Amino acid sequence: MMTDNLYDVIVVGAGAAGLTAGIYTSRAKHKTLILNEGAVGGQMVLTNEIANYPGVPTTNGYMLANAMRTQARQFGSKIKNNVKITSLQLEGDIKEVGLHNGEVFYAKTVILTPGGKPRSLDIPGEDKFKGMGISYCATCDGEFFQDKEVVVVGGGNSALEEAITLTSFASKVTIVHQFDHFQAFEHAIEEVKNNPKIEIILSSELREFKGEEKLQSVVVEHLPTGKQSEIKVDGVFIFIGYIPNTAWLNGAVQKNDNQEIITTPLMETNVDGVFAGGDCIAKKYRQVTTAVADGTIAALSASEYLRNHHVS
Ligand SMILES: Cc1cc2nc3c(=O)[nH]c(=O)nc-3n(C[C@H](O)[C@H](O)[C@H](O)COP(=O)(O)OP(=O)(O)OC[C@H]3O[C@@H](n4cnc5c(N)ncnc54)[C@H](O)[C@@H]3O)c2cc1C
């Protein structure tokens, strides 16, 4: 092992959580390498407008990501972009991360922040209208649909909670769910059933998104009869689950049935010296602010680990 390739901290993922972790660890004078597979900034760069990041009333995701990257670099984090991790060894005092091009890096601690993505419907028009009428986050985008008509797809707790949230903005919320019953808490089901702004369409699936520049309608199929109808909409919110980017970890750290990494409140995983944060961990709320908070905690926990474990 060459000392050039030995880091105090390797952060995997340069989204909000990873860049924040890098800012904290490099500012604490820990030699830090951030390895990133996609575009620096992660999901932030998919977001046109971020209006709920405190202190920055309105920004776009690219600007926020760029500012975080600059800050991480200013404190000394090295960022390697467009990498693919092909081997990983997290046990023991020195962790080992191998890349597609044969490079191998070593670290005393690893912070896992590979994020994830909302599950999509994968039907015609979805890619075209993402951010132009289709959203995966009512907290993020609900206010853009003031007095408009929206459809919510899904029948779990998240879908029902988000549908209720959306009634504060939209004039009408139609919930479309594939089964003939919801899979949610009884109190949430009662709340949607009693809300005069909410209409419920069960046993049905969306088949297509239609529109010119912006989304204008959706095609809905009633599954028992196969009958299709078109609903005029201003927006569609899809809540059918979340896919964490953790398959590549195999069994390196403990995950739950949803493939989310299990952490303690200090962002510790089950492996000594390995921390995780952001959208990849088991948690309810996935926002830039929560990713930033997780990244901070993971970095401070890694710093404490480094202070307590003297590995030469
Ligand atoms: C369309 C959209 C709009 C949103 N709008 C808002 C909003 O307005 N406000 C808000 O607060 N939140 C919003 N969110 C949610 C918010 O963007 C995320 O919760 C947050 O950015 C997650 O940050 P993260 O660092 O945990 O993960 P990510 O942003 O997913 O970053 C993870 C990074 O890790 C990289 N990576 C993945 N696997 C590997 C690997 N094996 N090796 C190396 N790198 C890897 C990825 O390429 C990515 O760069 C939105 C999300 C979406 C999709």
Side-chain angles (χ1 to χ4, degrees):
M1 182 199 344
M2 292 190 303
T3 51
D4 271 4
N5 280 4
L6 174 62
Y7 287 82
D8 295 318
V9 185
I10 288 180
V11 179
V12 179
L19 291 170
T20 304
I23 290 167
Y24 273 78
T25 56
S26 52
R27 189 157 187 255
K29 303 262 186 275
H30 301 309
K31 188 179 168 191
T32 301
L33 173 67
I34 304 176
L35 297 172
N36 191 58
E37 196 172 270
V40 168
Q43 292 173 72
M44 278 188 292
V45 297
L46 302 176
T47 313
N48 289 331
E49 188 177 336
I50 297 184
N52 55 5
Y53 193 75
V56 192
T58 312
T59 182
N60 67 47
Y62 178 79
M63 282 167 64
L64 191 57
N66 207 30
M68 288 186 192
R69 171 176 47 192
T70 304
Q71 212 173 346
R73 280 199 175 132
Q74 270 169 0
F75 289 123
S77 284
K78 185 173 171 189
I79 303 176
K80 260 180 112 53
N81 215 2
N82 296 318
V83 303
K84 184 139 198 75
I85 294 175
T86 49
S87 66
L88 186 69
Q89 196 286 110
L90 295 178
E91 298 293 336
D93 285 342
I94 300 291
K95 329 290 183 193
E96 200 180 306
V97 184
L99 302 188
H100 62 291
N101 59 4
E103 281 184 292
V104 181
F105 296 97
Y106 302 90
K108 298 170 190 170
T109 63
V110 170
I111 299 177
L112 301 167
T113 58
K117 54 177 177 294
R119 195 180 294 279
S120 55
L121 288 170
D122 287 330
I123 59 171
E126 189 166 5
D127 284 340
K128 179 174 173 189
F129 295 113
K130 264 183 197 164
M132 301 296 288
I134 298 179
S135 171
Y136 302 84
C137 175
T139 309
C140 312
D141 299 328
E143 67 159 316
F144 303 127
F145 293 88
Q146 193 74 47
D147 300 324
K148 308 260 194 229
E149 299 199 358
V150 300
V151 160
V152 164
V153 182
N157 283 310
S158 304
L160 301 200
E161 281 173 23
E162 299 282 40
I164 293 159
T165 300
L166 284 165
T167 57
S168 309
F169 306 101
S171 54
K172 182 179 177 191
V173 178
T174 304
I175 302 177
V176 178
H177 183 43
Q178 63 183 163
F179 300 123
D180 62 2
H181 61 279
F182 292 121
Q183 299 110 320
F185 295 129
E186 204 48 51
H187 67 84
I189 296 173
E190 280 309 304
E191 207 174 334
V192 298
K193 281 185 176 166
N194 293 329
N195 192 313
K197 278 189 173 182
I198 296 181
E199 184 183 330
I200 297 167
I201 301 180
L202 295 174
S203 306
S204 299
E205 283 182 354
L206 263 59
R207 289 286 175 249
E208 190 180 349
F209 295 100
K210 288 181 160 182
E212 297 292 331
E213 293 284 291
K214 285 195 161 190
L215 178 68
Q216 288 167 328
S217 65
V218 289
V219 177
V220 179
E221 181 174 321
H222 182 242
L223 298 175
T225 58
K227 190 167 168 265
Q228 294 197 345
S229 54
E230 199 165 327
I231 306 179
K232 283 181 89 61
V233 283
D234 300 294
V236 174
F237 287 77
I238 301 170
F239 305 112
I240 54 169
Y242 194 83
I243 308 172
N245 293 327
T246 56
W248 62 281
L249 285 164
N250 299 316
V253 290
Q254 198 183 355
K255 295 184 268 181
N256 64 15
D257 291 344
N258 297 328
Q259 295 305 304
E260 299 158 332
I261 300 171
I262 297 171
T263 61
T264 68
L266 291 176
M267 301 300 143
E268 300 153 312
T269 69
N270 64 314
V271 181
D272 245 16
V274 180
F275 307 86
D279 280 12
C280 65
I281 67 168
K283 65 175 181 181
K284 180 166 177 183
Y285 298 116
R286 293 188 162 90
Q287 291 284 283
V288 177
T289 48
T290 57
V292 160
D294 292 352
T296 305
I297 296 168
L300 294 175
S301 293
S303 275
E304 187 177 348
Y305 176 91
L306 287 166
R307 274 197 305 278
N308 295 337
H309 290 75
H310 296 285
V311 181
S312 46

